[in-house]
Amino acid sequence: MPDKSLDQQRLKWRDRLSVKQARIAVAITLLIGLLFSAIQIAWDLREEQTQIDRTVKQVLATLRESATQAAYGLDETLAARVISGLFEYEPVYEAVLRDNFNNILARTSQQPSSSNRTFLTKIMFGENQEYEVPLQTGSSNDLVGHLSVKIDTDLIAVGFLNRATRILTSGILRNLLLGFVLVAFFYTTLTKPLLRVSALLRKVDPQNPDPKAIDIPDDHARDELGMILHTTRGLIDRISTTLVKLRSTEQQVRDRESQLNAIVQNVADGILTITPTGRVIEYNAASKQLLGLMRDETPQGRTLHEFIMPRAIPLFEHSLEELFAHASQNDVVEKRITLPLVRADQTEIDVSIALRVIPDAATPLMTAVLNDITVQKRYEEQLVYMANHDALTNLPNRSMLELSLSKALQSHQDNATKRSGATAVLFIDLDRFKVINDSLGHDVGDLLLKAVGGRLQKVIGRQEVVGRLGGDEFLIIIPDLKETQDAAILSQAVLDALAPAFDIKGRVLFVTPSIGIALYPSDGKDFPALMRNADTAMYSAKSSGGGTYHYFTKTMNESAMARLVIENDLREALTHNQFELHYQPKVDLRTNRICGLEALIRWNQPGRGYISPMQFIPVAEETGLIGKIGEWVIMEVCRQIAQWDKQSIPPLPIAINLSPRQLIEGRITETISRILSDTGTPAARIVLEITETVMMQDIKKSAAILDELRHLGLQIAVDDFGTGYSSLAYLKRLPINSIKIDRSFVRDVTIDSDDAAITRTIIAMGHNLGLRVVAEGVETTEQMDFLRESDCDEAQGFLIATPLPPAEIVHHILRLSATTDTRL
């Protein structure tokens, strides 16, 4: 009975579909017919408008000659005939012929036809049209009159509309008939056969489809309907085969499901099936062990919230909501999160949970795979800590400092309207740390760095960050600087913290920091810029003697760029041999004879001329180029000595200034020994001048190196004596031959009693220690007389001679050597 009612309902749908199809076919046919009729009418309208203009112009052209004669001869009779001829054309309702003086020779008019279609006439043809023809005669086309004609467009429109109505009516009837014919044709040839196919398909059993149920009539064996039935029979045959395979597959799936269930129960990871609220529906054995449940306990019916640490519950709930929201959009999404769990025995573990919504479930469910990552997470945390902290001092390393500074800068940018402070960067470099590291060993240096890091940690507050960049460089970040002066206060605190001595393996060590300060945003808006400018400020502090702090200024940057240019030019100067040596003589104050020379380097750069040593020597010291330059000076002096010896110039010792880096950091003994051996220069002809300040920095190492140099046969002189605060005890331990009084004392010996007393004391002290005393910077005769009276041994200065090139100094040597009785 239900099958019969279903068939009746299908028959009703079929009838409705047939009627609907008929209506659609007729409507489409009518629309197509109307479209073509409208196109034909529009085309005819265009042709009609063109035909009006063409006809009127032909009529006027035919009568133009007669009208011209009438206007030329002022013949009213002829003009009346011309006008009468125009009315042969029916639409004309007014015609006027005028002479060239605008006098009317003939005029005829009649009432234009009135029609209730005037509105349509205006749309199609516009208002009544008027044509005017100028009448001309002779070869020069003289104007003799005008012929005017008015056309009644309503009369033309009436005829056109009648024709259009006939076209539309015939088109509608024709297309309506065509629509009914098409409906009947398609119903007979298409709809009825398809209904037969539908009836055959309804006989197929969905559970056991049999292709033989599809019977193909003989009259349709070779047409389109037969093709559809053949295709349908093949499709049902494949469906039947597929169903057999599907049932076999279902059995295999059930077997596989049993196997998977056994695997799930024995897998090491905890696997749970949970609801959107986190309630456990199913579980495996491993999940009980992971949650710390006893053998008789079960997680089924409980929620995971009971085992999750309270602080992590919002993350877990948000993940569940997010996953189920995606599931509603038919997206298969997996979400992995790490959560801290409290097991039933109250121990805490970290687990990685992989959450995935079960697709096509009758009720929303989700699988949760739990993996214990407690050991792995501790190891990862240790790796992260090691990657972001210095292994020696346990302070944040460069990458961590960059991250901290970037966060501070981003916070300023995000709250630019609310925050008015700044971020400060303190770049700290330890003065003379390399000397300690090289002389006492890296183990002592490492312990010193750890001790420095410990003191820096005690100086900073909770907001500041201190870290080690590498080597002896540290960095302090002040993320929220209220006042610029606060950076100076913290810098002074660092200086005070590092001022006390460090006890490293029983050694008492002192170290001072040079600190460069850069501020955001005035000195840079990112990590590289702030670091670069803080580093520049640090070098400024170091160049001023160290143990202080400097704020960055733009002039420092300019100085840094200038130093870089000089450094590049110095490298080019070494390659292209742009250096020269000038020599300044020293005289014996007792004999007035020249007793030695001092070699002074000069840089003659092409295009710029001579550059002062005060400009390039400090840069050479900083960059390490001073070693190569100093080696060149020693080699050049030895070469010059050999050349003068060949010229029989009186042999004189030549003094060479050693830089601090050459003495402390270089292999100066091996270098000089090699040069003396290669050039065959007597060691006694060389005097090495070392500043007092350099020797006092590391008296033990300096004494050892000077001993090696003395064993080579070289003479040693202490330059700038009186400025290094050396004691007599240290002075006695150094293997030196002479001391040079600094020019700052000699300059005012004749006008300043203190400088005079200091100078006499130095001379007396030097003589008591068996040393020769040399005064430099002598510029006046009064200074020279004072030094003679004070029993000084030698003098050097502009009064005697300025530094001169080798060719000129030779003449000076010969002159001073010859005038032994000349009093300077």
Side-chain angles (χ1 to χ4, degrees), residues 234-302:
L235 178 61
I236 292 174
D237 186 34
R238 289 194 295 271
I239 292 174
S240 177
T241 304
T242 303
L243 283 174
V244 172
K245 293 181 180 179
L246 181 60
R247 293 188 179 100
S248 175
T249 303
E250 287 178 349
Q251 183 60 42
Q252 294 176 3
V253 168
R254 284 192 290 271
D255 296 340
R256 183 66 59 86
E257 185 177 355
S258 300
Q259 296 174 3
L260 289 176
N261 186 49
I263 293 173
V264 168
Q265 291 301 324
N266 292 281
V267 78
D269 292 338
I271 302 176
L272 304 171
T273 301
I274 60 175
T275 64
T277 60
R279 186 170 299 280
V280 178
I281 304 299
E282 296 179 0
Y283 63 95
N284 66 345
S287 59
K288 288 184 61 175
Q289 297 176 3
L290 190 142
L291 297 175
L293 297 174
M294 302 297 289
R295 180 174 300 180
D296 57 344
E297 290 183 296
T298 175
Q300 190 170 12
R302 302 171 68 175

Side-chain angles (χ1 to χ4, degrees), residues 649-670:
I649 305 299
L652 296 171
I654 299 179
I656 300 173
N657 291 287
L658 279 187
S659 75
R661 296 190 68 162
Q662 279 180 287
L663 180 66
I664 302 299
E665 299 178 14
R667 301 170 62 87
I668 189 64
T669 305
E670 292 83 347

